[in-house]
Each structure stands twice: as structure tokens, then as C-alpha cells.
């Protein structure tokens, strides 16, 4: 089954004075007194590639790079990050197609990357023999383009034959892409094949010669969020503009996307998903030969997981009481007989597949040829269960794993019997595991050597008490012999939104550039995330969002109360929605931290819905056009609540010119407020990279080195600068 919502939910002047050199301590007496704030005065910074805006960005980049790159620690941080990111000792995760493993690979030589493949037997070896499919450095050079590979969608009918593929290419890492048909056997783009113009788009194969397409069809065909709301059926050999329309949503939708399901007997169900908000959707099926779509009889807040042994699986993000049937709870995984629905067009009896406990959450379901697997989080520890329907209901069988860390289903496909799992934790490098469908056995296919020194390190889980009494878990990685004297440099990371879970993961860059230097790392599992299911997320929506910020503050205060660290040595970091979290923390508790890394952030919450994809997130944050919700947003919006009289720590803003999801204007305008107030700050805007703020390993290493240099200067006692 293919569902293609291009959503995340889900993250930089001539004749103008630059900010003063960042300092560690700035008193209120040194701050510039400014006139009453006029937000309209900064709108020029929203012109992404405006000459004046880019001149200001260049000046800030130049100033920040000059200072941080001159720090004696910078070169070592960058070298360590490059060594890790470009190392050949990385697991080449991939997709299995017809006996081959396909993988995308970047290193110091292949900066833009290779799309390559190797036979399954070779893949199992320590040094597989790879065959290059596309060299993206060469492709970009030959075509004079700034191509960034964004993935491939391949289709082959269950009856057999060769694969048909679409390769997605982005200009500089943007979400907007073009799609070009590719021949895997000939290893070339198909002459006269399917090609789409650049847009934020969704496509789904409905057969070898048919695509369902949602794209920018011209003026008036995009939602307020900048996504398409019209789906058409495009046949091979016909003009895209002439494709017949299948369904049309509304401009106020987040977007409408194509969806296809290939059933076990080879039939392909064509359909679409109309995302009315980021979290609510209507699902439609287009019966062959009929003009009107049929809506699926499921609630609006669900995640569709696939079809296994004729059972249509979906997980609930809301409580649901189907008429005449048992009631289900948010977080439940449920199913019904698909063929019965296709025949009657009515909801069949719904069965409960799995109900998580209060400390569990459904992370995902994967269907392979002959097995269905369920990944869950249990008190933020990953587990995998095998699912089977029976006359007495569904059964679950635990899959044996090597430890208690983060587990994911790295690959499964209903056309393939191969299943790959991934495992890691804070101190254990990635392992790629093979799950044998026939026996249920798990074997290690590949594992990485240690990339940083873990001797003397330990991981603990604690619970902080939030303002309303809620227990908020967090992990901390630190030295076993840590002195509880409040002097340990500590980096606290948080996100808190869109039901995205923060789970234990192995980070060699963090290990080398922070943990080996004596720092502690903390991962907060605050509300807004998905660690404990839909209710944990929904507890922090819209007018309740302050709970998320109270949770994060509680974790920071708990670290200080335990004397692990102190405000002088405590830094925080977050990106995208986590960048908003960082901005709020700057305003609400500037006294609690001495370093704040604000990555690809949302910061102007009064205009966010007018910038790029912002309108798609009103279901998370609330709408500035709704008086009650605007009134709340005005109390938390970092940009509007900036106050030059506050004892701000020196922040570091990181964004990307090519980010067409979260507008770089957010970071630009907030930094401008610091500049106008005469307050120190760092600012770096990568001219490429999209929402990741980096499109290749070299750029990722540079950004990381800048951030760790900044953190060291702010948090390590010996790092104070004269």
C-alpha cells in the first residue's frame, strides 16, 4: 500500500550594522534602548532570496563563522564529525527489490551521493559488491543542476515483470521536487517517460502505465498551506495537463494526496486522502468504472497500516465507538475484513488487534509477505511483536531483541519475505537484524564498531514533576563518576510536538564532540510527543501548549535540583517545532540556561500560518485567525515576546535559505530583534539543505562543529573567552 502525504505531521545587509561580538555575560545596562516594536519593520526578512535580506544573512554568517571557526576547538569538532559521517563503517540501510538491496550512499567522494544496489547474498557479506545505479554528483554536473536525491518510488505488479520507478530530485534540498521515471534494468531515465514539473507533490502508481498525481495544477489549485488539493489520473503517453480529475478538496484543507493499495490478488485500489487538518483526514476509494468516490468508514484521526491476510489494519488516534459495535480507545490497533467492505460499502465488524497499556504506544505496523509485525514503545523502550489473526482474535508474539533500546522495522514489503530490523541505544552502535519469517529467529546481519569511547558512561531514566503534577520521563547519559556539584556541562534536547517520539539513539558525533569531552546529554520525553500514545500528544495541543513548555522547564529544574548541573552549565537544543520550544524557553526562563541552539525554528507564531507550510499546522498550534487561539499564541510567541530587559543567554540561530517548510524568516526576524537591542547572538544560515539545514555530509559536519563550538564556549568552565 502506498500513501503519499508530503507532510512532516513533523527544521539565513548592506549598510546595516551587525550585532556586537557575542559575549558570555551582558548586563541590562549595556542593552540598547529601542522604540516600541513594529513587526512590520522586519517583513523584508521574509523575502527568502531578496537582495537586502541575503545581504543581512551574509553579514551574519560572516561574523559568526569568523568567530566560531577561529576557536581552537572548531577544527577538531569538524574533523571528528566528518570522520564519522563520511566513514565507510556505516550500515547501508536499504530497500529489497527482486533479490537486490538498493541503497543511497554519501561520503567525502560522493558528496551528493550514489543510488546503488547489491544482491542479497552479497549484502550479507562484510564488504558487499555494489553496482551504481545513479551517480548524483555526475548527474548534477552533467545537467548543471543543484540536485539533491529525495528518494525513489518503485512499482511492480504482483503478477511479475520489471519494476517501474520514479526518482524524486530536489533543487538544493527543498521539499518541492520533480519526479522522473527511471528504468532499473537499463539504469537510465526513461526517454519519454513520466516527468513532473517542480512542486510539492504526491504520486502513487496505479499500474505500470498509470499514476495518480496531486501537484500544482496552476493558479488556485494549492491550499493555504501550499500543498495540492486536486488528484488526477495520468495515463502513459498523454499530457499531464489533460489528465482527468478524480477528486477535489478545498483551499482550506492541508492537502489532498493520492493513495493506492495493491491487494494480495493483484487488484489495485485507487484512492485519495483528504487531510482537512494535520491530524484529521477523510479517506476515499475510487471504484473502477464509477464516477463518485466511496469514503472509507473509519474515523478522521487514524493511521492506515496496511492489509494482512485480508484484514485492513489501522491504528486509532481518537476514541471510536462504531454504531452497534464495541468501543475502542485512542492508541488501539484495530482491523476489519477488507473484502466485506468492498462488497457491501459498509463498515464490517471491527476487531481489536492490540491495546497498549498506559506506558505503551503503537509506533508502527509493517506487513511482509507472510508476516505482520508491530513496533511499540514501552516506557520509551522499543519492542516488536508478531501479529496473527485467528478465529479467537488476534495473537501477539514477542520478537527477541538484543537489548532495551530503540528498535525499528528497517524494511518490509508485502511483495518480499525479507524483513530487516534496526537496533541501537545511547551507548550501543547500530545493528541491522534479519527477521526470519519462517522460524521467528532474529540474527545480526550487520553491526557497527564503537565510534566513540563509552568507558565510564552510563544511562539513567528519571522522572521530573511538571507544574500540573504530571510525571515527565527523561534519559541522561553521563559519566558514572559524575560529581553532583552542579558543574557538569549538560545539553538538554527536546521536541514536544506532532506525536513525534524522542527515543534512545546512538550518535557518534554527539559521543565524540560532547560526551567524550565530559559533557552530559539529556533527552526529554515531554508531552506533545508520541512516547505514550495519542493522549500524550493531544494533552499539549493548541490552548494547552503551555503544558509542553512546563514539562521541559521541569526537566531542566530537576537536573539542577539533582545537582547534575546548574544554569551556568546547562544548554538546550531543538529544531523545527523544537526550535519553537527553544524560542519559548528563551523568553520564559532565560535564567535557567546559558546556551540555546535554535534550529530551523518557528518563532513568529502570529504570522506562521501565512508562511510556506505554516497553515498546515493550525491543528497543532491553533490559528491566529481565531480570537481565543490568537490570544494564547500572543502569550507564547517568541518573536513578539522578545524583551531586551531580560537576562537572555547568548543564543545560536541555525536555519537554511532552501527550507521551504519552515520559513527562514522566523530565525532571521528573531535574530534581528537581538541585533536591534544590542544583544549578542550567533546566526548561521546554510544557503542549501532544505529543512535539514544541510544537504550533504560536509555541510552536516560544518553545522555540527559550529554548534558544539558554541556550546563549549558557553558551558564548559575552561571555555570562557576573554
Amino acid at each position: 500500500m502506498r500513501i503519499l502525504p508530503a507532510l512532516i505531521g513533523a527544521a539565513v545587509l548592506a549598510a546595516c550594522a551587525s550585532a556586537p561580538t557575542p559575549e558570555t555575560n551582558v548586563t541590562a545596562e549595556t542593552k540598547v534602548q529601542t522604540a516600541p516594536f513594529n513587526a512590520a519593520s522586519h517583513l523584508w526578512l521574509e523575502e527568502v532570496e531578496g537582495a537586502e535580506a541575503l545581504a543581512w544573512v551574509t553579514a551574519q554568517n560572516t561574523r559568526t563563522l569568523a568567530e566560531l571557526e577561529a576557536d581552537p576547538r572548531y577544527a577538531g569538532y569538524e574533523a571528528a564529525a566528518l570522520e564519522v559521517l563520511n566513514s565507510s563503517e556505516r550500515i547501508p540501510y536499504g530497500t529489497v527489490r527482486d533479490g537486490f538491496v538498493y541503497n543511497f550512499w554519501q561520503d567525502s567522494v560522493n558528496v551528493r551521493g550514489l543510488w546503488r544496489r547489491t544482491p542479497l547474498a552479497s549484502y550479507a557479506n562484510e564488504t558487499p559488491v555494489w553496482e551504481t545505479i545513479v551517480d548524483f554528483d555526475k548527474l548534477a554536473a552533467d545537467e548543471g543542476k543543484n540536485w539533491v536525491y529525495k528518494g525513489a518510488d518503485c512499482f511492480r505488479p504482483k503478477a511479475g515483470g520489471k519494476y517501474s520507478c520514479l526518482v524524486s530530485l530536489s533543487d538544493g534540498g527543498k521539499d518541492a521536487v520533480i519526479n522522473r521515471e527511471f528504468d532499473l534494468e537499463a539504469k537510465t531515465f526513461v526517454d519519454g517517460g513520466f516527468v513532473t514539473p517542480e512542486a510539492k507533490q504526491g504520486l502513487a502508481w496505479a499500474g505500470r502505465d498509470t499514476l495518480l498525481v496531486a501537484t500544482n495544477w496552476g493558479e488556485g489549485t494549492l491550499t493555504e498551506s501550499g500543498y495540492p488539493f486536486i488528484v488526477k489520473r495520468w495515463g502513459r503517453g498523454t499530457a499531464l495537463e489533460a489528465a482527468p480529475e478524480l477528486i477535489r478538496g478545498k483551499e482550506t484543507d492541508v492537502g489532498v494526496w493520492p493513495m493506492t493499495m495493491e491487494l494480495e490478488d493483484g487488484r489495485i485500489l485507487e484512492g485519495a486522502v483528504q487531510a482537512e487538518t494535520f491530524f484529521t483526514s477523510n479517506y476515499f476509494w475510487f471504484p473502477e468504472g464509477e464516477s463518485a468516490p466511496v469514503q472509507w468508514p473509519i474515523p478522521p484521526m487514524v493511521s492506515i497500516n496496511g492489509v494482512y491476510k485480508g484484514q485492513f489494519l489501522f491504528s486509532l488516534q481518537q476514541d471510536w465507538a462504531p454504531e452497534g459495535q464495541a468501543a475502542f480507545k485512542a492508541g488501539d490497533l484495530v482491523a476489519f475484513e477488507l473484502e466485506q467492505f468492498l462488497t457491501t460499502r459498509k463498515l464490517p465488524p471491527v476487531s481489536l488487534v492490540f491495546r497498549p497499556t498506559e506506558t505503551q504506544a503503537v509506533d508502527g505496523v509493517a506487513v511482509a509477505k507472510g508476516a505482520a509485525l508491530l513496533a511499540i514503545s514501552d516506557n520509551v523502550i522499543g519492542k516488536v511483536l508478531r501479529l496473527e489473526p485467528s478465529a479467537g482474535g488476534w495473537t501477539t508474539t514477542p520478537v527477541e531483541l538484543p537489548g532495551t533500546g530503540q528498535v525499528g522495522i528497517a524494511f518490509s514489503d508485502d511483495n518480499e519475505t525479507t524483513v530487516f530490523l534496526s537496533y541501537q541505544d545511547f551507548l550501543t552502535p547500530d545493528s541491522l537484524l534479519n527477521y526470519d519469517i519462517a522460524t521467528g529467529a532474529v540474527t545480526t546481519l550487520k553491526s557497527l564498531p564503537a565510534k566513540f569511547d563509552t568507558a565510564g558512561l552510563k544511562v539513567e531514566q528519571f522522572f521530573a514533576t511538571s507544574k500540573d503534577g504530571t510525571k515527565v520521563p527523561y534519559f541522561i547519559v553521563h559519566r558514572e563518576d559524575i560529581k553532583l556539584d552542579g558543574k557538569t556541562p549538560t545539553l538538554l534536547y527536546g521536541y514536544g510536538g506532532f506525536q513525534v517520539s524522542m527515543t534512545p539513539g546512538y550518535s557518534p558525533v554527539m559521543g565524540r564532540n560532547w560526551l567524550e569531552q565530559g559533557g552530559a546529554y539529556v533527552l526529554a520525553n515531554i508531552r506533545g510527543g508520541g512516547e505514550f500514545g495519542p493522549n500524550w500528544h493531544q494533552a499539549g495541543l493548541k490552548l494547552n501548549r503551555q503544558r509542553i513548555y512546563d514539562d521541559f522547564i521541569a526537566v531542566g529544574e530537576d537536573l539542577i535540583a539533582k545537582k547534575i548541573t546548574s544554569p551556568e552549565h546547562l544548554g538546550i537544543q531543538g529544531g523545527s517545532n523544537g526550535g519553537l520550544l527553544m524560542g519559548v524557553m528563551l523568553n520564559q526562563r532565560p535564567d535557567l540556561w546559558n546556551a540555546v541552539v535554535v534550529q530551523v525554528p518557528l518563532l513568529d507564531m502570529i504570522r506562521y500560518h501565512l508562511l510556506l507550510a505554516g497553515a498546515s499546522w493550525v491543528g497543532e498550534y491553533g490559528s491566529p485567525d481565531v480570537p481565543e487561539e490568537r490570544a494564547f499564541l500572543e502569550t507564547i510567541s517568541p518573536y513578539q515576546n522578545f524583551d531586551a530587559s531580560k537576562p537572555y543567554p547568548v543564543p545560536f540561530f541555525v536555519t537554511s535559505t532552501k527550507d521551504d517548510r519552515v520559513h527562514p524568516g522566523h530565525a532571521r526576524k528573531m535574530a534581528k530583534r537581538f541585533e536591534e537591542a544590542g544583544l549578542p547572538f550567533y546566526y548561521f544560515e546554510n544557503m542549501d539543505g532544505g529543512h535539514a539545514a544541510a544537504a550533504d555530509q560536509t555541510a552536516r559536519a560544518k553545522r555540527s562543529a559550529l554548534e558544539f563550538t558554541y556550546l563549549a564556549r558557553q558551558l564548559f568552565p575552561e571555555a570562557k573567552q576573554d
Side-chain angles (χ1 to χ4, degrees), residues 27 81 86-87 123 183 187 305 383 428 434 476 496 500 687:
T27 64
N86 283 324
S87 171
Y123 185 67
D183 187 326
K187 294 183 290 185
N305 301 120
K383 296 181 178 180
T428 305
N434 183 76
I476 178 169
V500 175
M687 297 300 186

Side-chain angles (χ1 to χ4, degrees), residues 243-438:
E245 183 176 312
L246 293 176
I247 192 169
R248 176 182 293 254
K250 306 183 298 292
E251 188 177 352
T252 54
D253 292 334
V254 169
V256 181
W257 310 98
M259 179 181 77
T260 60
M261 286 188 287
E262 188 180 16
L263 306 184
E264 291 159 313
D265 60 7
R267 286 176 296 164
I268 297 177
L269 302 185
E270 299 181 7
V273 51
Q274 177 193 21
E276 292 187 315
T277 72
F278 199 90
F279 304 110
T280 60
S281 297
N282 299 315
Y283 295 87
F284 296 94
W285 164 43
F286 308 136
E288 186 176 357
E290 299 183 21
S291 59
V294 175
Q295 186 168 349
W296 288 81
I298 55 180
M301 296 179 66
V302 301
S303 296
I304 293 179
N305 301 120
V307 179
Y308 179 61
K309 293 188 176 179
Q311 294 288 317
F312 180 72
L313 291 154
F314 56 105
S315 49
L316 299 172
Q317 310 302 319
Q318 64 177 83
D319 293 343
W320 184 40
E323 185 177 355
Q325 299 191 39
F328 299 98
K329 297 180 179 180
D332 287 350
L333 176 64
V334 298
F336 62 70
E337 182 69 41
L338 177 59
E339 198 61 43
Q340 186 174 341
F341 162 68
L342 297 179
T343 301
T344 66
R345 313 284 176 93
K346 296 179 180 179
L347 178 68
V350 180
S351 61
L352 177 66
V353 180
F354 177 80
R355 171 165 290 166
T357 67
E358 289 185 357
T359 63
Q360 294 176 332
V362 170
D363 286 341
V365 176
V367 177
K369 190 175 183 179
L373 298 178
L374 167 65
I376 66 169
S377 170
D378 192 346
N379 207 13
V380 204
I381 300 299
K383 296 181 178 180
V384 176
L385 308 173
R386 182 163 177 168
L387 304 173
E388 280 297 328
S390 67
W394 288 79
T395 61
T396 59
T397 306
V399 174
E400 292 294 327
L401 298 171
T404 55
Q406 176 182 340
V407 63
I409 301 171
F411 171 78
S412 74
D413 187 280
D414 60 4
N415 281 325
E416 301 286 345
T417 56
T418 300
V419 176
F420 294 148
L421 307 177
S422 63
Y423 176 83
Q424 61 181 302
D425 59 41
F426 287 115
L427 303 180
T428 305
D430 298 18
S431 293
L432 182 67
L433 312 175
N434 183 76
Y435 177 74
D436 189 305
I437 289 176

Side-chain angles (χ1 to χ4, degrees), residues 481-493:
D481 59 356
I482 187 173
K483 294 180 180 179
L484 299 179
D485 57 4
K487 294 183 179 179
T488 299
T490 302
L491 178 59
L492 167 59
Y493 188 89

